[in-house]
Amino acid sequence: MKSVVKSILAVAASGLLVAGCGLESGGAVPLPVGPGSIEPIPELDGVKITVGSKDFTEQITLGYIIEFALTAAGADVRDLTNIQGSNSTRDAQLDGQIDLTYEYTGTGWINYLGNETPLPDSQQQYEATRDADLAANDMVWADPAPMNNTYAIAMNRQTAEQTGVRTLSDYARLVSTDPAAATTCVETEFNVRQDGYPGMAAKYEFNPDAAPRQILQTGIIYQATADGNQCKFGEVFTTDGRIIALDLVLLEDDRSFFPKYNPSLVMKKSFADAYPEVLDVMAPISEKLTDQVMTELNRQVDVEGLEPADVARDWLVSEGFVTTG
C-alpha cells in the first residue's frame, strides 16, 4: 500500500492530469542513471522522448525500465507512467502524447484491434497484432519479451480442498450448481473486457451473472482471495509476485481461453523511422524479461513495498545495462 500511495503522490506532483485535451507533458525521470552496457548514442543525444505506462505495478516498473535505458543512451526522457487504464494509455499514444510504452500482445489484438478470438501461439499472436496494428494505425510493435502476463482465476488452498475445483471448467460447474460457493472478485477492466470475465463465461458456457461478483481494486483482490471470506475466487495476473507470497492456487485454463500477453515495445511508425536506435537499445532488455524475472520484480514492489523506480533501476544495474549515475 505504501508504494501505491507514493506512486499516486508522484503522479500528482508531476502533473499527470486528465483534461479535455488529454495528459500533461510529464515529469522528470525519478532517479539518475549512467551508462553501462548501454552507452550514449549520438543520434539520441538530447532527443525528447516521453514514456508512458498504465497504472499497475508491472506496467509502471516496465515504464521505468524504458526510461532509465533511454536516459543512459542520452535521450531527454519525460515520465508519463501511471496512466489510468488501457484505453487512456492507448489514446495518449495515438494522440502523440507519449512516444513509447510496453503493451501486451493480447490487449492489442483483443481490445485495440477488436478481435474476439485470441491466437494460442505466442509468436502467431504477436505477428498478427504487429501486422494488423501497423496496417490500421501505423503503430510499430518490437519483438516481444518472453514473459506472458496473462489473466488467471485464483483461490486459496482451503477453497481448492473444499470445492475440488482445479480448472476453469470445474469453476464453471460450481457457478452453475452452487453459485454462492463461487463468489468471485474482479477489477473493473476484467469485469467488462471480452478477454476478461464475459468472454471467459462464454467460452466455458456459464451464466456470468449467476455467481456473486464483487469489483475491487487489483491489489486488494489478492489478499481478499487469500483470506477466502470476501472472495472465494479472484482475478489475478500470472506474473504477480503476490501469487507465490500468499500461496494462491491458479485454476488451469483447460480450454485455452486467455490470450497470450507478451509485452512489446510499441511506438508510432514515424517515431520508429526517426529513431531506430531505440529498438537497438531496448531489444537486449526485452529478451531478459522472463516470467521469473518479472514475477520477482513485481514481488519486490507489492510484497516488500519497494518503489517501482528503485526496483527497475536496480535490476538494470544488476544486469549491467546502466549504472547508478
Side-chain angles (χ1 to χ4, degrees), residues 24 210 266:
E24 297 293 336
V266 180

Side-chain angles (χ1 to χ4, degrees), residues 118-176:
L119 300 176
D121 178 77
S122 291
Q123 184 64 22
Q124 290 179 349
Q125 181 70 89
Y126 159 66
E127 291 175 358
T129 303
R130 176 198 64 191
D131 296 346
D133 209 15
L134 180 61
N137 302 300
D138 276 340
M139 299 297 287
V140 170
W141 290 66
D143 289 341
M147 59 167 281
N148 174 28
N149 184 15
T150 191
Y151 287 115
I153 300 297
M155 58 189 167
N156 67 20
R157 294 196 179 276
Q158 183 179 8
T159 298
E161 293 171 1
Q162 290 175 343
T163 63
V165 168
R166 296 293 181 271
T167 68
L168 286 177
S169 291
D170 295 336
Y171 170 83
R173 284 191 290 272
L174 184 67
V175 170
S176 300

Side-chain angles (χ1 to χ4, degrees), residues 29-322:
V29 175
L31 296 170
V33 294
S37 61
I38 299 173
E39 298 180 345
I41 298 173
E43 292 82 358
L44 293 179
D45 184 32
V47 173
K48 297 184 183 301
I49 299 175
T50 302
V51 177
S53 83
K54 304 174 201 180
D55 57 346
F56 57 91
T57 293
E58 180 169 291
Q59 271 279 299
I60 296 169
T61 304
L62 287 172
Y64 285 138
I65 285 173
I66 301 171
E67 292 180 10
F68 294 137
L70 295 183
T71 296
D76 179 8
V77 179
R78 304 300 290 174
D79 172 29
L80 262 180
T81 53
N82 211 346
I83 301 170
Q84 186 174 8
S86 297
N87 290 335
S88 296
T89 306
R90 172 71 167 190
D91 289 344
Q93 187 157 38
L94 292 176
D95 291 343
Q97 295 166 303
I98 62 175
D99 299 305
L100 292 170
T101 188
Y102 267 114
E103 186 53 272
Y104 303 99
T105 52
T107 302
W109 182 247
I110 301 292
N111 288 78
Y112 303 153
L113 295 168
N115 298 285
E116 294 185 359
T117 304
L119 300 176
D121 178 77
S122 291
Q123 184 64 22
Q124 290 179 349
Q125 181 70 89
Y126 159 66
E127 291 175 358
T129 303
R130 176 198 64 191
D131 296 346
D133 209 15
L134 180 61
N137 302 300
D138 276 340
M139 299 297 287
V140 170
W141 290 66
D143 289 341
M147 59 167 281
N148 174 28
N149 184 15
T150 191
Y151 287 115
I153 300 297
M155 58 189 167
N156 67 20
R157 294 196 179 276
Q158 183 179 8
T159 298
E161 293 171 1
Q162 290 175 343
T163 63
V165 168
R166 296 293 181 271
T167 68
L168 286 177
S169 291
D170 295 336
Y171 170 83
R173 284 191 290 272
L174 184 67
V175 170
S176 300
T177 58
D178 189 6
T183 301
T184 304
C185 293
V186 299
E187 47 87 41
T188 303
E189 279 200 24
F190 186 80
N191 192 53
V192 298
R193 286 168 59 137
Q194 282 307 305
D195 55 347
Y197 202 87
M200 182 183 75
K203 180 72 172 183
Y204 283 92
E205 302 175 282
F206 68 88
N207 179 358
D209 298 321
R213 196 157 77 250
Q214 297 191 45
I215 309 299
L216 298 177
Q217 291 182 351
T218 304
I220 297 174
I221 293 173
Y222 291 83
Q223 187 61 58
T225 303
D227 293 341
N229 297 318
Q230 185 177 6
C231 312
K232 293 298 183 185
F233 299 90
E235 164 219 346
V236 298
F237 299 106
T238 54
T239 55
D240 197 296
R242 288 167 290 193
I243 294 172
I244 296 173
L246 296 171
D247 195 27
L248 297 178
V249 179
L250 300 182
L251 278 61
E252 178 189 350
D253 182 11
D254 52 309
R255 295 189 184 182
S256 300
F257 164 70
F258 289 118
K260 305 299 183 185
Y261 290 89
N262 303 104
S264 174
L265 195 69
V266 180
M267 67 205 79
K268 285 188 172 183
K269 185 176 185 299
S270 57
F271 181 90
D273 290 343
Y275 306 111
E277 298 82 10
V278 167
L279 294 175
D280 296 333
V281 171
M282 295 303 301
I285 295 174
S286 291
E287 289 174 0
K288 287 185 175 290
L289 292 172
T290 63
D291 284 350
Q292 292 76 17
V293 166
M294 202 68 234
T295 298
E296 172 58 19
L297 299 185
N298 289 334
R299 187 195 66 79
Q300 290 178 28
V301 176
D302 292 323
V303 178
E304 295 185 13
L306 302 180
E307 292 301 314
D310 292 322
V311 170
R313 187 178 70 164
D314 288 350
W315 179 72
L316 287 168
V317 169
S318 73
E319 295 291 336
F321 290 117
V322 304

